[in-house]
Amino acid sequence: MQRLARGERDALGPLMERHHRRLFRIALSYLRDVDEAMDAVQETFVKAYQAAARWDPVSEVAPWLSRIAVNHSIDIYRRRRRRQRSEAPMPEATTDHDDRWRAADPSPESEASGREVGQRIAAALQSLPERQRAIFVLRHYDERSLPEIADTLGMSLGTVKSSLHRAIARLRERLGSATA
Amino acid sequence: MTLFHGRWRARVSLLAAGALDPHEEAAVQAHLASCGACRADLEASRRALDLLDRDPARAAEPPVAIEFLKTRVLARLDEAPAPRPFRWGLAAAGLAAAALAVAILPLLDRPVVTEKPVPDEMLARMERRLARDSAARYLDEAQDLLVNVSAHPADCEKDHGRIDVGEEARRSRELLERRALMVELGGDEVASAQPLLDDVEGLLREVAALPACVRAESLEAIHRQMERRHVLMKIDLVTRELRG
């Protein structure tokens, strides 16, 4: 990061190698669209390079990158929602937005079952308000602690706790029949 | 179920999410021993969260090789700030992508271009651009907030039958603070957007003044105003204009 802060572009390579998969999964969990998730990852590293000089050396790189990726994902989601709204009334999310992505090397049966679960989870996640969804994704797809999430999203710890509880309650309702 | 069950529900959810510190967890575990409803709650939350282990997104792989991503990032750093939408899936299919990546990889070693002094005229242009961008961003966020108020009414936990708009009220107050700053910084630059900014400000004030839990009827007046003045559509048009 210090090399990146000095404007050394070749420092981007190792940073991207270390974090791009994790950031892709965060963005994909939030957006459920491969192209949009890759755009979010790309813009995360662009922003990381541009903002590296302002990076605080005492803070960890992974949560800092997660913050950028989540904020980009929220921006992309807002743009998508505006586009959908200007084209047609926004439908209730019922299916996965993008089924081109696959887990590494699944069997055909587990792939089919995984796709169905993925679609149900995607629909449930898309029913959450954007910040609740970000909190949920950071907790359950990036294993961030609640204080880290509060710091990442610039919220109080209390707001993060109550939002996570609400998100879980709503997901329980939405995923009810799948978990019975 | 006890009268105080409601206040434990959030902590039980957080226990299921593995998000409590040891002290909080011990307190919730002690409560669970005497609360059957809370144990059922915990089980239901755990079942829902266990399902996430089967979500393919957890193990999904990026559709393109890392070298191609590096190439795109470097190309973006050389471009204007606005990102271009890109069809990553198409790139994944072609060997051309890999060849291109190999060709451009050595550019990673390029020296950084040294900055030249910025002329006053350019600075003034950048300031104007900044004022318009911040007005557009403000309108974007206000639009999202107003859509949330209309489209995502969450039930209020403390008072069933009412709608929770606490978060929207808080965000409205933040946006109004930004709006005040925007007027000081870029009044002339956003003059054409002034009537819409006033309409939006009025709506945000109404949302900001709402209590955390409201009846659905309390939001209807806000919805009617939004529709009557075509606020969402105007925001789309004006933000497009502001961004040039």
Side-chain angles (χ1 to χ4, degrees), chain B residues 52-65:
Chain B
L52 299 178
D53 291 338
R54 289 160 55 200
D55 183 358
R58 278 184 177 284
E61 288 290 321
V64 295

Side-chain angles (χ1 to χ4, degrees), chain B residues 177-199:
Chain B
E177 283 170 20
R178 270 172 54 192
R179 165 86 174 100
L181 198 66
M182 220 164 60
V183 170
E184 286 168 26
L185 290 178
D188 293 343
E189 278 311 309
V190 295
S192 63
Q194 199 58 50
L196 177 63
L197 287 168
D198 291 343
D199 280 351

Side-chain angles (χ1 to χ4, degrees), chain A residues 7 17 43 78 82 141 166, chain B residues 55 70 76 112 143 164:
Chain A
E17 278 161 25
E43 290 307 307
R78 286 175 176 173
R82 274 200 299 277
Y141 289 84
R166 286 176 192 189
Chain B
D55 183 358
K70 286 177 187 171
R76 270 283 294 124
V112 178
Q143 188 187 44
D164 185 349

Side-chain angles (χ1 to χ4, degrees), chain B residues 9 64 76 120 159 187 191 216 233:
Chain B
R9 283 188 64 205
V64 295
R76 270 283 294 124
D120 286 351
D159 194 347
M233 187 189 71

